[in-house]
Amino acid sequence: MKNKKFAVLLLSLPLLFASCDFGNPADATAHPSVRLNLTQDVALDEPPYDIERGIGKYDASNVTGGALNAGLATKGEEIFTNTCAACHALTADQVVGPGLKDMTKKRTLYWLMNYLANPDPMIDKDPELQEQFKKLGMRMANPDLNEEEIKAVVEYLRKNDGVK
């Protein structure tokens, strides 16, 4: 008798599984009680993107403008020529990337520094950069500059924008 019950149970398992509708995992309407939004990032402790600051260690507490540091701007010109000029003009003209005229008037200095330090997370979050990415079809490569080089390039951009 036990063998018959076991045999019936064993034979009915495939029918049991066949009758279950597991649905198509891509079909969110198959089981409305279980919905996954696979296109949304889940980062519960991540603060909202700050359009004035960007993402990084630089902010209003550790970056100030003031008078132009001519020596640093000269170093920045050399770095710009060797690292940035292939893709960016100092005018409003687009080369590969956008022209940089008045960039220090359009963005905060600490935003620029954060962007030069690590452009990828900012491109992923900044609405203007995302639009630019769509328009140009390419992302800015990480220039891999150290802190002093970043300061020098930003100082050179300030000089280009008329800061004295």
Side-chain angles (χ1 to χ4, degrees), residues 46-63 108-123 125 147 150:
E46 185 177 311
Y49 180 75
D50 182 348
I51 194 87
E52 293 294 316
R53 179 174 174 261
I55 299 171
K57 68 179 183 178
Y58 302 107
D59 60 28
S61 71
N62 57 19
V63 176
T108 62
L109 299 179
Y110 40 89
W111 185 96
L112 289 167
M113 292 179 70
N114 284 326
Y115 187 60
L116 289 172
N118 193 6
D120 288 326
M122 290 178 61
I123 293 169
K125 300 277 184 183
E147 187 168 348
I150 291 168

Side-chain angles (χ1 to χ4, degrees), residues 59-79:
D59 60 28
S61 71
N62 57 19
V63 176
T64 57
L68 184 74
N69 179 329
L72 195 56
T74 300
K75 289 179 189 174
E77 180 177 10
E78 181 181 337
I79 296 164

Side-chain angles (χ1 to χ4, degrees), residues 11-98:
L11 291 173
S12 63
L13 281 176
L15 292 173
L16 178 66
F17 283 116
S19 68
C20 293
D21 179 17
F22 293 108
N24 181 348
D27 183 7
T29 62
H31 296 283
S33 63
V34 180
R35 294 185 189 260
L36 297 176
N37 186 351
L38 301 177
T39 60
Q40 183 178 9
D41 292 334
V42 179
L44 300 176
D45 59 348
E46 185 177 311
Y49 180 75
D50 182 348
I51 194 87
E52 293 294 316
R53 179 174 174 261
I55 299 171
K57 68 179 183 178
Y58 302 107
D59 60 28
S61 71
N62 57 19
V63 176
T64 57
L68 184 74
N69 179 329
L72 195 56
T74 300
K75 289 179 189 174
E77 180 177 10
E78 181 181 337
I79 296 164
F80 182 90
T81 301
N82 294 328
T83 307
C84 312
C87 296
H88 296 281
L90 292 171
T91 64
D93 299 327
Q94 177 184 326
V95 182
V96 174

